[in-house]
Amino acid sequence: MSIEIARKLLEEWLLQRGFRVVDKLSEREVVLMEGNNTVYLRISTEEFPTESYIIDELSNVMRNRFNYNKAYIAFPQSARGLINGKLFRSNRVGVYIYDLSSSDPERAVEELIPSIPIQLQQGIDESIKKRIDDLEKAINDVRSSLSGINIQPLAKDINELRNRVMRIEQTINELIERLNRLESVGPQGTRTSNTAAREGSTISNELPDFLSNNPWIEVLRRRGGGNG
């Protein structure tokens, strides 16, 4: 079945009903305007389509469905009994049936299922699209920059830094262990010094009898305390 003949038949039928063609995406895909609505039309030329083929066509349309207010698939007359109306309506996709053998151009095309229009938020879509384009550009710039970098010296520097960090960590761990040992020994050393001081005081108080009452002992103690 000729795609050119089918497309010409559909375009002429739609033009008579106020549509106008604004773009041709491929041999089988046409974009039209109906008033303020953008309309996507996909033309099927499978002469004996199956249900699975029709579902595949619907899946292809759904990839671009939300870029247009309306969307249609045009099937040949032989697909009429295989169209699942509930499935198409739930996806807001319409169906045209065309008959190339018809002698009446007005009856050669039939709108079997109308497309349910959707409201497009073009401002938001354009903003998102611009952000995606900017992001893709940034990613490509980074890729280009990285492709020209020799990573061998970088890998060597990274390994050297890793070794230095490991040595620093080892030194810190050793210092922590030493500090812990000093802290554990410190209180015992203090207790030993205090004990020695107390013992010295006791010894100094336990003088012989012939010196215990000697007045010069007190004088020497005071002098010793003053000089200390």
Side-chain angles (χ1 to χ4, degrees):
M1 183 179 296
S2 173
I3 182 62
E4 290 82 4
I5 296 175
R7 187 177 66 249
K8 183 178 180 181
L9 174 67
L10 288 160
E11 288 179 356
E12 290 180 353
W13 187 86
L14 291 168
L15 288 174
Q16 292 178 1
R17 284 156 179 79
F19 290 77
R20 69 179 188 277
V21 178
V22 295
D23 195 9
K24 186 175 76 170
L25 304 179
S26 68
E27 291 295 319
R28 298 178 53 196
E29 297 173 293
V30 181
V31 179
L32 307 100
M33 292 295 300
E34 181 191 21
N36 294 325
N37 291 324
T38 57
V39 182
Y40 172 86
L41 173 63
R42 182 179 180 87
I43 304 171
S44 173
T45 58
E46 182 65 31
E47 189 171 0
F48 300 104
T50 61
E51 291 183 359
S52 61
Y53 172 83
I54 292 173
I55 292 175
D56 287 342
E57 289 286 82
L58 177 60
S59 298
N60 289 326
V61 170
M62 291 307 299
R63 294 174 184 173
N64 299 317
R65 176 64 186 94
F66 295 99
N67 294 330
Y68 306 96
N69 298 108
K70 293 184 176 183
Y72 283 89
I73 305 178
F75 291 103
Q77 180 69 25
S78 57
R80 179 185 293 272
L82 301 175
I83 303 297
N84 185 333
K86 184 177 180 180
L87 179 62
F88 275 82
R89 291 187 183 91
S90 65
N91 288 286
R92 301 187 176 187
V93 176
V95 175
Y96 289 125
I97 296 294
Y98 65 91
D99 184 4
L100 296 181
S101 63
S102 176
S103 58
D104 186 354
E106 288 294 320
R107 297 178 181 274
V109 179
E110 174 188 353
E111 185 182 34
L112 184 66
I113 300 174
S115 173
I116 300 175
I118 60 175
Q119 185 65 36
L120 302 181
Q121 297 179 347
Q122 295 182 351
I124 296 177
D125 291 343
E126 291 173 0
S127 175
I128 293 174
K129 183 177 184 301
K130 184 178 184 304
R131 291 174 62 184
I132 292 174
D133 291 341
D134 292 342
L135 182 60
E136 290 179 347
K137 183 178 182 300
I139 292 173
N140 290 331
D141 291 343
V142 172
R143 286 176 177 172
S144 299
S145 300
L146 292 177
S147 63
I149 296 177
N150 183 5
I151 65 172
Q152 293 299 328
L154 291 177
K156 182 179 179 181
D157 292 341
I158 290 172
N159 289 331
E160 178 63 25
L161 288 173
R162 184 183 294 112
N163 292 333
R164 290 184 181 181
V165 170
M166 292 176 64
R167 290 196 295 269
I168 291 172
E169 289 179 347
Q170 182 178 358
T171 302
I172 291 173
N173 290 332
E174 292 176 355
L175 291 174
I176 291 173
E177 291 179 0
R178 291 181 183 179
L179 181 59
N180 290 335
R181 288 197 297 270
L182 290 174
E183 288 179 348
S184 62
V185 171
Q188 296 178 0
T190 303
R191 288 195 297 271
T192 302
S193 300
N194 293 335
T195 302
R198 287 195 300 271
E199 291 176 352
S201 177
T202 302
I203 293 171
S204 64
N205 289 331
E206 295 178 355
L207 293 172
D209 293 337
F210 68 91
L211 292 177
S212 60
N213 296 320
N214 192 317
W216 288 103
I217 297 300
E218 294 298 327
V219 173
L220 293 173
R221 283 180 176 174
R222 287 196 295 269
R223 287 183 178 180
N227 293 334

